[in-house]
Amino acid sequence: MFGKLFENVRRKAPLIHCITNYVTVNDCANMLLACGASPVMADDCEEAAEIAGICQGLVVNIGTLNTRIIPAMTAAGRRANELGHPVVLDPVGAGASRLRTETALLLMEEIRFAVIRGNMSEIRSLAGAGAATRGVDVNLADRVTEENLAKAVAFAMEFAQTSGAVAVITGAVDIVADKDKAYCIRNGHPVMSAVTGTGCQLSALTGAFAAANPDLPLESAAAAVCAMGLCGETGYKRMGDMDGNASCRNYIIDAMYRLTPRQLEEGADCTLWDGEVRRP
Amino acid sequence: MFGKLFENVRRKAPLIHCITNYVTVNDCANMLLACGASPVMADDCEEAAEIAGICQGLVVNIGTLNTRIIPAMTAAGRRANELGHPVVLDPVGAGASRLRTETALLLMEEIRFAVIRGNMSEIRSLAGAGAATRGVDVNLADRVTEENLAKAVAFAMEFAQTSGAVAVITGAVDIVADKDKAYCIRNGHPVMSAVTGTGCQLSALTGAFAAANPDLPLESAAAAVCAMGLCGETGYKRMGDMDGNASCRNYIIDAMYRLTPRQLEEGADCTLWDGEVRRP
Amino acid sequence: MFGKLFENVRRKAPLIHCITNYVTVNDCANMLLACGASPVMADDCEEAAEIAGICQGLVVNIGTLNTRIIPAMTAAGRRANELGHPVVLDPVGAGASRLRTETALLLMEEIRFAVIRGNMSEIRSLAGAGAATRGVDVNLADRVTEENLAKAVAFAMEFAQTSGAVAVITGAVDIVADKDKAYCIRNGHPVMSAVTGTGCQLSALTGAFAAANPDLPLESAAAAVCAMGLCGETGYKRMGDMDGNASCRNYIIDAMYRLTPRQLEEGADCTLWDGEVRRP
């Protein structure tokens, strides 16, 4: 099924509006092009809604948040909502500052998100669980591992229910959940955390998958997470003994450019959670 | 002749002031360095005119336009005009939002541009031809092809006459025109449209060529288009079977770093338009 | 000793807050990750002090300065000062515009910097020596060479005394000085000046070394300069005959990812200045 969802991205070539941070914006643009979508970045309040209106999906990312662009985020989000286009939130650094936490919460009030993607500290901070995000990185205590997976899945499903969005919590194991079910994904490689922006790129990619498959937000998000993870694996395998995180960054995007729907279908390591859901 | 124009870039190492979008700004800086020029990016109204004054050329690019930097664009443009330095406009996304279209038109009123470079949808929107730009991409209906080339050339010459700038319209065939003559350029490769920022880089490069050859705006622009196209060809040829758009991005800039005036002279596929000019 | 200082970076993985320009910000983030630190970029006044408070070091870089972020710089700087965390200033383009020169001087009044790193034109402009910086590049007349080294060292020590910060002046020979002693460093390669952002990356790296070794600002800065220079050498050596500045950019960051404390210890070409100090 993930192969089919990816085929839709390639065939429909959705135009994705990103209001995103200036650290990783170039990588997000190239990742969108690599998967077959087209990026357009526009963060001024004067044009945000209009640009959202000509696109098929919107990605809101609060890395390097500044107060000037918050109204652009809400205006674009509302327009996308009116049109029924999926909106993805990447709450970069929520829990690390009051501005980020409060802005993310404000956006969740103003906009109906199809997907919210972050690390466990970021998502916990949006759930009022009092996380202390380590800058833009997950706090050590919050890391999702095989050991605490049941609890993390339950939290993700709870968050999905409360927020109304598909919850994507990335870590050593990635969780993609709505209120009724959850997928656990074990693609990816630790080197990805040494490449700035792999999370942002995944959020952009999730926007492309959701826009091309608007009726399947849960499966679209899971497919995007698997695709990104597979590209991380390919990127890592390609590294020679002089390569580091800069070359790996290129290899990951290259891998998406080369990834076929069939490879995604076959390489996706995604299992439906069927363990006990221990509600928090 | 293009070889000589390129030699002037390498020899004079012009300092190019860019007010440009944050998506592709790093690539623009490295492309300028690759061709032998030096970049300086400055977008605050408090310093824009002063920075323009120490540079030999200015490139104004409205991707990720925000209202804060419009006065910086006009101030820098006026100062460059006073000094007789060439100013290049890249109207990224004109036709996709009212802010972009109107800002580009405002800039054309306030500043005398040596060159205006965009895709056909963007340039049509500036000519009042009612284009609907697809984000930052050309609208399918507007694409320049061998079939509609005569009409496109006529449009470019008309636009050059009206605007007073050399018109550079890039596509499968690139057109570089002033009011009296037009060149058609067939360098380049389709993979360039999968690399974010190749258009922005070309605009920056055009600024460098124009600044190093201030009396020859038409030929400078044509030389820059050929140089960029050749680098796209070289970048594509260098791609191995694991490479995608991220590696290609590097290869294109690398190719400019390695390009010699002689290679440009010999590789340029640029012909003077001598067909009928069908005025629109 | 430099090996030990680098080990501390890898072991402590300091979180470094960067308020930096949008041209080279992605490279700064990947360079910080490559050396073992973690980046967080935050430039809004509403969160700058708070983010500074959760980090171990702060890097303030005035490339693409805009007036909106100056209060964020001072707020973050004061907070870091209160906490005793090292703050690095990179006065990009000081001397090229009044805004940059005056802002850098203002920051030096408001914030106690551990290290100030720039090229000779930038540092001269902060010393009131009336430099005319060539955009973001050193003015030809200001270049540090073996011939004018004694004078440059004396100037650096004087500047360190006046400013209270370790002075890092980079060029063909790099000088790292406090008021009492100076190191001359001869690592690096000229190709680095064809890669945008190598200076910014060094400033970010200096922040990481200073944060991991807060009691040794002079030696930390010298170690960072040697490490960056070694990576420039490695990057250059790795260049094949199709590679240019874009690939070199990746190779430099890759080299930092691969650099070991032992390689730094053995490869550092750093000598204590023991010539006559000719006070200017």
Side-chain angles (χ1 to χ4, degrees):
Chain A
M1 172 192 209
F2 288 178
K4 181 70 189 162
L5 301 178
F6 189 20
E7 269 174 31
N8 288 339
V9 176
R10 288 264 158 90
R11 187 170 49 80
K12 297 184 182 176
L15 193 55
I16 305 298
H17 179 192
C18 301
I19 303 182
T20 192
N21 69 76
Y22 56 78
V23 184
T24 67
V25 59
N26 185 276
D27 293 327
C28 290
N30 273 326
M31 179 53 77
L32 285 171
L33 288 164
C35 79
S38 280
V40 54
M41 277 61 179
D43 69 12
D44 195 276
C45 201
E46 293 289 316
E47 68 169 357
E50 195 178 353
I51 294 288
I54 62 164
C55 291
Q56 287 80 52
L58 171 67
V59 179
V60 174
N61 173 309
I62 65 167
T64 63
L65 183 63
N66 72 64
T67 47
R68 178 183 67 76
I69 62 173
I70 299 172
M73 290 172 167
T74 54
R78 281 185 197 141
R79 184 81 184 107
N81 277 175
E82 282 165 18
L83 295 166
H85 296 168
V87 188
V88 175
L89 174 65
D90 187 333
V92 180
S97 80
R98 218 180 46 170
L99 176 67
R100 298 208 190 192
T101 311
E102 289 179 359
T103 300
L105 292 171
L106 170 80
L107 293 170
M108 288 169 67
E109 269 174 43
E110 304 272 341
I111 303 167
R112 192 174 63 252
F113 288 105
V115 184
I116 300 177
R117 190 216 67 83
N119 63 44
M120 183 56 97
S121 298
E122 290 161 348
I123 303 299
R124 277 174 58 87
S125 77
L126 302 186
T133 309
R134 189 179 180 270
V136 298
D137 300 323
V138 70
N139 200 309
L140 192 58
D142 289 334
R143 280 185 198 176
V144 177
T145 61
E146 297 288 351
E147 285 65 41
N148 64 18
L149 189 56
K151 209 170 151 189
V153 166
F155 168 78
M157 291 174 73
E158 184 80 17
F159 180 76
Q161 177 148 44
T162 316
S163 67
V166 169
V168 178
I169 301 176
T170 47
V173 184
D174 304 314
I175 301 166
V176 179
D178 66 12
K179 64 184 173 51
D180 299 317
K181 59 180 175 176
Y183 292 105
C184 294
I185 296 169
R186 291 175 178 81
N187 292 110
H189 189 276
V191 74
M192 295 169 84
S193 63
V195 177
T196 193
T198 48
C200 302
Q201 290 172 48
L202 172 54
S203 295
L205 193 68
T206 302
F209 272 76
N213 302 283
D215 299 332
L216 295 167
L218 180 70
E219 289 72 20
S220 293
V225 171
C226 290
M228 187 72 199
L230 277 171
C231 291
E233 293 171 27
T234 303
Y236 173 72
K237 279 181 215 146
R238 190 177 164 189
M239 285 173 76
D241 59 10
M242 301 196 78
D243 286 333
N245 56 336
S247 288
C248 188
R249 164 207 192 194
N250 292 313
Y251 296 163
I252 291 171
I253 298 173
D254 282 355
M256 186 62 69
Y257 185 87
R258 294 283 178 184
L259 188 69
T260 64
R262 185 172 184 160
Q263 286 168 335
L264 173 57
E265 188 73 40
E266 292 176 356
D269 185 351
C270 176
T271 52
L272 188 66
W273 176 257
D274 59 1
E276 183 189 5
V277 174
R278 297 190 298 170
R279 293 283 170 189
Chain B
M1 172 192 209
F2 288 178
K4 181 69 189 163
L5 300 179
F6 189 20
E7 270 176 30
N8 287 338
V9 176
R10 287 265 158 90
R11 187 170 49 79
K12 297 184 182 176
L15 192 56
I16 306 299
H17 178 191
C18 300
I19 304 182
T20 192
N21 69 77
Y22 57 78
V23 184
T24 66
V25 59
N26 186 276
D27 293 326
C28 289
N30 273 326
M31 179 52 78
L32 285 170
L33 288 164
C35 79
S38 279
V40 53
M41 276 63 179
D43 70 11
D44 195 276
C45 201
E46 293 289 316
E47 69 170 356
E50 195 177 353
I51 293 289
I54 62 164
C55 291
Q56 286 80 51
L58 170 66
V59 179
V60 174
N61 174 309
I62 66 167
T64 64
L65 183 63
N66 72 64
T67 47
R68 178 183 66 76
I69 62 172
I70 298 172
M73 290 172 168
T74 54
R78 280 186 198 141
R79 183 82 185 107
N81 277 174
E82 282 165 19
L83 295 166
H85 296 169
V87 188
V88 175
L89 173 65
D90 188 334
V92 181
S97 79
R98 218 180 47 170
L99 176 67
R100 298 208 191 191
T101 311
E102 289 179 358
T103 301
L105 291 172
L106 170 80
L107 293 170
M108 288 170 68
E109 269 175 42
E110 304 272 340
I111 302 167
R112 194 174 61 254
F113 288 105
V115 184
I116 300 177
R117 189 218 66 85
N119 62 43
M120 183 55 97
S121 297
E122 290 160 348
I123 303 299
R124 276 174 59 87
S125 77
L126 302 187
T133 310
R134 190 179 181 270
V136 297
D137 300 324
V138 69
N139 200 309
L140 192 58
D142 289 334
R143 280 185 199 175
V144 176
T145 61
E146 297 289 349
E147 285 65 40
N148 63 19
L149 189 56
K151 209 170 150 189
V153 166
F155 169 77
M157 291 175 72
E158 184 80 16
F159 181 76
Q161 177 149 44
T162 316
S163 68
V166 169
V168 179
I169 301 177
T170 47
V173 184
D174 305 314
I175 301 167
V176 178
D178 65 13
K179 65 184 172 53
D180 298 318
K181 59 181 176 176
Y183 293 105
C184 295
I185 296 169
R186 291 176 178 81
N187 292 111
H189 189 276
V191 75
M192 297 170 84
S193 63
V195 177
T196 194
T198 48
C200 303
Q201 290 172 49
L202 171 54
S203 296
L205 192 68
T206 301
F209 272 76
N213 303 284
D215 299 332
L216 295 166
L218 180 70
E219 290 72 20
S220 293
V225 171
C226 290
M228 188 70 198
L230 278 171
C231 291
E233 295 171 26
T234 304
Y236 173 72
K237 279 182 216 146
R238 190 177 164 190
M239 286 174 76
D241 59 9
M242 302 196 76
D243 286 332
N245 55 336
S247 288
C248 188
R249 165 208 192 192
N250 293 313
Y251 296 163
I252 292 171
I253 298 172
D254 282 354
M256 186 63 69
Y257 185 87
R258 293 284 177 182
L259 188 70
T260 64
R262 183 169 187 164
Q263 286 168 334
L264 174 56
E265 188 74 38
E266 293 176 356
D269 185 352
C270 177
T271 52
L272 188 64
W273 176 258
D274 60 1
E276 186 190 1
V277 174
R278 296 190 299 168
R279 292 285 170 190
Chain C
M1 174 193 208
F2 287 177
K4 181 69 190 160
L5 301 178
F6 189 20
E7 270 174 29
N8 287 339
V9 176
R10 288 264 158 88
R11 187 170 50 79
K12 296 183 182 176
L15 193 55
I16 305 299
H17 178 192
C18 300
I19 303 183
T20 192
N21 69 78
Y22 57 77
V23 184
T24 67
V25 58
N26 184 276
D27 293 326
C28 289
N30 273 327
M31 179 52 79
L32 285 171
L33 288 164
C35 80
S38 280
V40 54
M41 277 62 179
D43 68 12
D44 196 276
C45 199
E46 293 290 314
E47 69 171 356
E50 196 178 352
I51 294 289
I54 62 164
C55 290
Q56 287 80 52
L58 171 67
V59 179
V60 174
N61 175 309
I62 65 166
T64 64
L65 183 63
N66 72 64
T67 47
R68 177 184 68 77
I69 62 173
I70 299 172
M73 291 173 167
T74 53
R78 281 187 197 136
R79 185 79 186 108
N81 277 175
E82 283 166 18
L83 295 167
H85 296 169
V87 188
V88 175
L89 174 64
D90 187 334
V92 180
S97 80
R98 219 179 46 170
L99 176 68
R100 298 208 190 192
T101 311
E102 288 179 0
T103 301
L105 292 171
L106 170 80
L107 293 170
M108 288 170 68
E109 268 175 42
E110 304 272 340
I111 302 167
R112 194 173 61 252
F113 288 105
V115 184
I116 300 176
R117 189 217 68 84
N119 63 45
M120 182 57 96
S121 297
E122 290 161 347
I123 303 299
R124 275 174 58 87
S125 77
L126 303 186
T133 310
R134 189 178 180 272
V136 298
D137 299 324
V138 69
N139 200 310
L140 193 58
D142 289 334
R143 281 185 197 174
V144 177
T145 61
E146 297 289 351
E147 286 64 41
N148 63 20
L149 190 56
K151 210 169 149 190
V153 167
F155 169 77
M157 292 175 72
E158 184 81 16
F159 180 76
Q161 177 148 44
T162 315
S163 67
V166 170
V168 177
I169 300 176
T170 46
V173 184
D174 304 314
I175 301 166
V176 179
D178 65 13
K179 66 182 172 52
D180 297 317
K181 59 183 174 173
Y183 292 105
C184 294
I185 296 171
R186 291 176 179 81
N187 292 110
H189 189 276
V191 75
M192 296 168 85
S193 64
V195 178
T196 194
T198 48
C200 302
Q201 290 172 48
L202 171 54
S203 295
L205 192 68
T206 302
F209 272 76
N213 303 284
D215 300 332
L216 295 166
L218 180 69
E219 289 72 19
S220 294
V225 171
C226 290
M228 188 71 199
L230 278 171
C231 291
E233 295 171 24
T234 304
Y236 173 72
K237 279 182 214 145
R238 190 177 163 190
M239 286 173 77
D241 58 11
M242 300 196 78
D243 286 333
N245 56 334
S247 288
C248 188
R249 165 207 192 194
N250 293 313
Y251 296 163
I252 291 171
I253 298 173
D254 282 354
M256 186 63 69
Y257 185 87
R258 293 284 177 182
L259 188 70
T260 64
R262 185 171 185 162
Q263 286 168 334
L264 174 57
E265 187 73 38
E266 293 176 356
D269 185 351
C270 177
T271 52
L272 189 64
W273 176 258
D274 58 1
E276 183 189 5
V277 174
R278 296 190 299 168
R279 291 287 168 188

